[in-house]
Amino acid sequence: MILHIKNGVNRERIEAISKELNAFHIHYQGKEVLITASNVKEVPDSVANDVESYWVADSDIQLASKKYQQEKREIQLGNILIGGSTKNTVLIGGPCSVESEEQIRQSSELLKSLKLSVLRGGCYKPRTSPYSFQGMGKDGLKLLAKMREEYGLTVITEARDATHIDDIIEYSDIIQVGAKAMYDQGILRACAKTTKPVLIKRGFGTTLQEFVQASEFVLAGGNPNVVLCERGIRTFETKTRFTLDLCGVAWLQEYTNLPIILDPSHAIGHAYGVLPLARACVAMGVDGLLIEAHPNPKVAKSDASQQLNHQEFVNLKQELETVAKAVGYNLI
Amino acid sequence: MILHIKNGVNRERIEAISKELNAFHIHYQGKEVLITASNVKEVPDSVANDVESYWVADSDIQLASKKYQQEKREIQLGNILIGGSTKNTVLIGGPCSVESEEQIRQSSELLKSLKLSVLRGGCYKPRTSPYSFQGMGKDGLKLLAKMREEYGLTVITEARDATHIDDIIEYSDIIQVGAKAMYDQGILRACAKTTKPVLIKRGFGTTLQEFVQASEFVLAGGNPNVVLCERGIRTFETKTRFTLDLCGVAWLQEYTNLPIILDPSHAIGHAYGVLPLARACVAMGVDGLLIEAHPNPKVAKSDASQQLNHQEFVNLKQELETVAKAVGYNLI
Amino acid sequence: MILHIKNGVNRERIEAISKELNAFHIHYQGKEVLITASNVKEVPDSVANDVESYWVADSDIQLASKKYQQEKREIQLGNILIGGSTKNTVLIGGPCSVESEEQIRQSSELLKSLKLSVLRGGCYKPRTSPYSFQGMGKDGLKLLAKMREEYGLTVITEARDATHIDDIIEYSDIIQVGAKAMYDQGILRACAKTTKPVLIKRGFGTTLQEFVQASEFVLAGGNPNVVLCERGIRTFETKTRFTLDLCGVAWLQEYTNLPIILDPSHAIGHAYGVLPLARACVAMGVDGLLIEAHPNPKVAKSDASQQLNHQEFVNLKQELETVAKAVGYNLI
Amino acid sequence: MILHIKNGVNRERIEAISKELNAFHIHYQGKEVLITASNVKEVPDSVANDVESYWVADSDIQLASKKYQQEKREIQLGNILIGGSTKNTVLIGGPCSVESEEQIRQSSELLKSLKLSVLRGGCYKPRTSPYSFQGMGKDGLKLLAKMREEYGLTVITEARDATHIDDIIEYSDIIQVGAKAMYDQGILRACAKTTKPVLIKRGFGTTLQEFVQASEFVLAGGNPNVVLCERGIRTFETKTRFTLDLCGVAWLQEYTNLPIILDPSHAIGHAYGVLPLARACVAMGVDGLLIEAHPNPKVAKSDASQQLNHQEFVNLKQELETVAKAVGYNLI
């Protein structure tokens, strides 16, 4: 249950109620808001006088639910806005991993030349084997910061585990919680304490219910700026790396108030399919795309098969602009 | 291995080779063509003189493979063409089940008013319970035939099992092999003996490899007119009925020469998501869509939750035309 | 809803009620029984006087449900019984496919020497490719019949589609409905009209709900002798061919009254794992096992990797007897 | 590739080789061992003189592979041994969550009375919702330590994320890496630096390949004491909570040298199925079971539906002893 507390109830009283109901307490859109477990279905008599209004939830999808807030959340990503009533679809590009200054600079120049503003690049790679490339770590973060400074780009990079989440929060403009880390409460609870936007990727074995509940850790902890990212689930089909769940995206659009960004590169895992899939994603009317592109995919240290080269990325942008327009969106 | 026999080799000799190699024998594009198992990797010396050219296959995806034939097959559906170089996307509409003359007549008039030409409607429903509505059977087929006659429509309906496949082939213009029937060799072998177009739906537990191999039963049996239909696979996600596999569609487009029609209605199972998903499908550049629409979905005898009403279908057609245009296709 | 009609109500009246309620009508354990759709929750006033007792069902799992009949069904397989209170676990052996008289005779002698009585062997193979071995067809059925005559064995073989179901019913003692055919109403409805036992395999993409509902086609059609067979479902894991669902088996044991036979050979798809898995199956307290064994697995025309050789089968039988005993069952 | 360095090569030289080959360096069974990525297929000339023997790996499953070490690893869990040639199956019991001193004391007395030695109990619960019970945290760890002291039990508890892994390592005798945390390199790398046994649960969306590779993080980091735990994967079937993958267990037994413990409680998620499944697990010949039991499951703060009550646990132990004996194992 979500409770909006009456104006004028003092902080001490709010804290007392919060303790009594074992509730989270946040400030949201000028209101003092308490969130209890969803099995609380009635306002207890003891607090009824303090409550201005309340929402009974079907499940632990509460703050993220359209039932609570019908309008899609508007989120600032550097200089641009997505969600709300913006009808913007942000095209985020860059390599799977930051590998060198030369490489990430080429990516930055590509984005700049296309008037795009958000650069992706992994520094802590959540590899499933200890014997493969693990990312540049903090050196990579510093390169991303350098690109931000030099090119005015907004930077997004991924936290692999809680041991370096503070660095990610410090160096990155948008915090990416990866598919393998999205149950990680060490990360989620840290993200709740900043106001930087947080992009949560769906785990490949994660239900939509659990996916949105992961956002509740951040929202109920005090950070309203969450974006969801569908990147493919694991199914019996192995010709493609994962299966992009656009049915799930339709469900998220119908039932949640969170902006949605899609990652077709990881979903299919092969460059040949990124363009048609990206067109499909844009046609859904989504808030953004994450596309992996590398100056020279053949020598990439991770995800070589799925990264576009820069010419392919230029073409992709052009095609996506047309599709976005056809569904009333702007590709930015 | 696929072998093209030299012109001038006589029928007797071809039959002898076919027997020797345990091969299928078809006439295709003016050629005598033999198809052996794919583990045959070399032309046997005994037949080398009779062979004009040959293709070694990686797997039992042979006739359907782009390696064998790069150009997408062109298929005639009544008055229209899809595939080949047509850039047509056919919008097939109609109810889940034929329920009455009045109902199917309303569907026919809807299509007519939108200048659409292909009507769907099930008569033998592959229900998973014996206690639910099983379809009108042959009476339904006759209603479809009546609609064809009165409205000039092309009709597609589904074979549930081999006991009524002859009726389906007789009454229907396009034969639909349903998701639960696509391993049914009684159906597939019967479809191979007609030249009417055959739309094969992917089973919800079927790999892409098996899916395309099902088409090989029809193609190698002598009917070149096969269309594939992706309609959602079964995954762990249950908020939606199935998971539409657009990664798989990208793979099919890359590796096979068969036209592809998508069925977003069955995939998501809820009317709210049909429109955004249909836009996504069209943006992939596919050859057609199957969309369930019912004059009054609330009283539908099957699939009530996922059928659009007629106003929604009109809106859908309009939006899809714009998306189709944006990717260089015509919605027909 | 299941209705038991009072003794003395005449056949005409029963048929009238059956028509009124759109119900199936069977004779079962000395009773006239009607089965309606499960959404019928109250006995209509018009028939209340004719009804002795009734069961309201949660879902279309009705006749198969423990709620309707608590005791497990007892089924006769040739000379032996399974289910009921027998505590018998039948070990069914034989090759994947009948390949020759010599081969199937060796299998028969193996069973005889081990005092086992049920022989398996496929004649119509539901292969996913037209280019691989498709089975011996009717010639295979005749070989199985010959083995029955000569060795006194009970024979089980599989229907691939409805075109040859009559032959299967004629030649086989136990009718196997394969995993790819279990939605095939042509087969299921034919099985309902015999009283020979029917073993239904779970489709690899089939939910437990649908699996048991398939049995309702046979049970409600008048054949009470159904056995369920779990043989592995398709999951994201590909190191093994399928994933044997023993959680599902526990559910079937808890909620249905049908005997259960397990097929670990198809589940894992590799001979090395058949023995430990078979031990696990027997320890569940199940009614039988299907194990593929071949005189010379290396040259088998289908499923070469998963068939045991005869020495391995002998060892398996010995180990399983010990496990069966430990859980209070007899391996027969 | 795994390289055994010759006796007598000095530490400096080993470190130099390790750096040159970008290899891990461990001491294992009296040897200096280097492990490179598995795509290294030949010993470089520059180090050939320092190498006593080497193993080429097919994949990044290296130290855990039977190809490298045929014998199953022997692991000490408190006073008992599993793996190696012990033929012991350890029965680990206790509640899902530590909830109070009274509750965990009752669990401890249950184990003591059954002469069992390993107590489980979660303190940091990886719940998918922020609004449900999150565990007692460090207070729970202290209760577990108290039970160890008073009852002489060996204690296993789970790390949820890297923020409290140091506490887990300090307070627990066996470190459990949960299904949602098994990609967490913050946890895995910390586990590599202790020699306490580490039990890694398979993620419900995790392939066997990735599962075993997770163990390589610990093994290659210097801790040889890893046990794998299968606890059910996520499939399309929802009647049960997860699907226990015993085919996968057969594969692990065939290809890896790690002891295996199974968790049927989480797999099925319902108490009714725990006993038959546990019998199946023991019949596979595994090294242990994790079974959830609670003094009063109805009031449990987590996993109420799947925990056995204490009488059920006593019965379970008795039945499992018989099955273990039948397959040549001792339940301890």
Side-chain angles (χ1 to χ4, degrees), chain D residues 85 147 202 223 274:
Chain D
S85 55
M147 293 307 109
R202 181 183 185 184
N223 182 352
V274 172

Side-chain angles (χ1 to χ4, degrees), chain B residues 157-178:
Chain B
T157 195
E158 170 177 11
R160 184 174 62 203
D161 59 63
T163 58
H164 51 258
I165 179 64
D166 291 342
D167 283 341
I168 299 286
I169 292 175
E170 182 186 343
Y171 282 89
S172 190
D173 301 305
I174 307 166
I175 300 147
Q176 181 176 321
V177 183

Side-chain angles (χ1 to χ4, degrees), chain C residues 4-309:
Chain C
H4 282 198
I5 301 300
K6 283 180 182 161
N7 289 335
V9 177
N10 66 30
R11 165 164 289 270
E12 253 177 15
R13 175 65 186 140
I14 298 176
E15 290 312 313
I17 298 173
S18 176
K19 203 164 279 177
E20 183 187 337
L21 302 184
N22 197 19
F24 286 81
H25 173 202
I26 61 171
H27 313 271
Y28 183 58
Q29 297 187 327
K31 288 284 170 193
E32 302 297 318
V33 180
L34 298 183
I35 314 105
T36 74
S38 60
N39 57 7
V40 179
K41 302 294 188 195
E42 289 181 14
V43 178
D45 289 347
S46 59
V47 307
N49 283 335
D50 302 296
V51 171
E52 184 186 288
S53 58
Y54 65 94
W55 285 259
V56 176
D58 307 324
S59 79
D60 278 356
I61 296 179
Q62 300 196 76
L63 293 166
S65 163
K66 265 223 167 75
K67 270 199 171 170
Y68 169 61
Q69 178 188 312
Q70 179 63 30
E71 310 76 36
K72 203 195 290 180
R73 286 163 191 260
E74 189 179 85
I75 313 271
Q76 180 116 21
L77 305 178
N79 306 318
I80 62 170
L81 290 172
I82 60 167
S85 56
T86 64
K87 295 273 182 176
N88 285 333
T89 301
V90 60
L91 177 56
I92 303 174
C96 176
S97 300
V98 179
E99 297 172 6
S100 68
E101 178 165 344
E102 193 194 336
Q103 173 234 30
I104 198 67
R105 187 177 295 284
Q106 286 180 273
S107 299
S108 302
E109 286 182 350
L110 172 69
L111 294 186
K112 238 18 212 178
S113 73
L114 294 171
K115 298 192 171 29
L116 296 173
S117 67
V118 190
L119 173 68
R120 59 150 292 143
C123 301
Y124 297 88
K125 301 305 299 174
R127 306 305 291 271
T128 58
S129 162
Y131 310 118
S132 51
F133 176 63
Q134 306 287 314
M136 288 183 73
K138 203 159 175 176
D139 289 342
L141 293 181
K142 287 176 183 166
L143 286 177
L144 288 173
K146 194 170 182 181
M147 294 306 109
R148 171 175 48 217
E149 212 172 302
E150 293 189 27
Y151 293 93
L153 293 167
T154 299
V155 158
I156 176 169
T157 195
E158 171 177 10
R160 183 175 61 202
D161 59 63
T163 58
H164 52 257
I165 178 64
D166 291 343
D167 283 340
I168 299 285
I169 293 175
E170 183 186 341
Y171 282 89
S172 190
D173 302 305
I174 307 166
I175 301 147
Q176 180 176 322
V177 184
K180 294 183 190 112
M182 60 142 279
Y183 295 111
D184 187 329
Q185 296 185 17
I187 290 175
L188 294 172
R189 290 178 198 278
C191 288
K193 286 178 188 140
T194 174
T195 56
K196 286 190 176 178
V198 179
L199 179 142
I200 304 178
K201 283 195 164 184
R202 181 184 187 183
F204 40 73
T206 299
T207 60
L208 292 167
Q209 182 74 31
E210 292 176 357
F211 182 28
V212 185
Q213 283 179 188
S215 78
E216 297 277 337
F217 280 93
V218 179
L219 300 170
N223 183 352
N225 300 310
V226 177
V227 177
L228 298 178
C229 178
E230 158 65 21
R231 44 74 76 208
I233 58 173
R234 195 164 260 171
T235 68
F236 62 78
E237 183 54 61
T238 57
K239 294 268 189 213
T240 60
R241 193 174 179 193
F242 293 99
T243 302
L244 190 68
D245 182 10
L246 294 189
C247 288
V249 171
W251 186 89
L252 292 169
Q253 289 178 323
E254 183 76 8
Y255 292 107
T256 81
N257 56 45
L258 303 174
I260 298 163
I261 286 182
L262 301 185
D263 177 352
S265 303
H266 277 88
I268 189 159
H270 299 282
Y272 71 77
V274 172
L275 175 55
L277 276 175
R279 288 198 313 252
C281 294
V282 169
M284 297 276 297
V286 294
D287 305 290
L289 289 187
L290 272 173
I291 302 287
E292 289 192 344
H294 191 285
N296 187 358
K298 280 179 196 159
V299 303
K301 292 187 175 173
S302 55
D303 285 354
S305 71
Q306 77 200 26
Q307 301 195 57
L308 302 186
N309 65 36

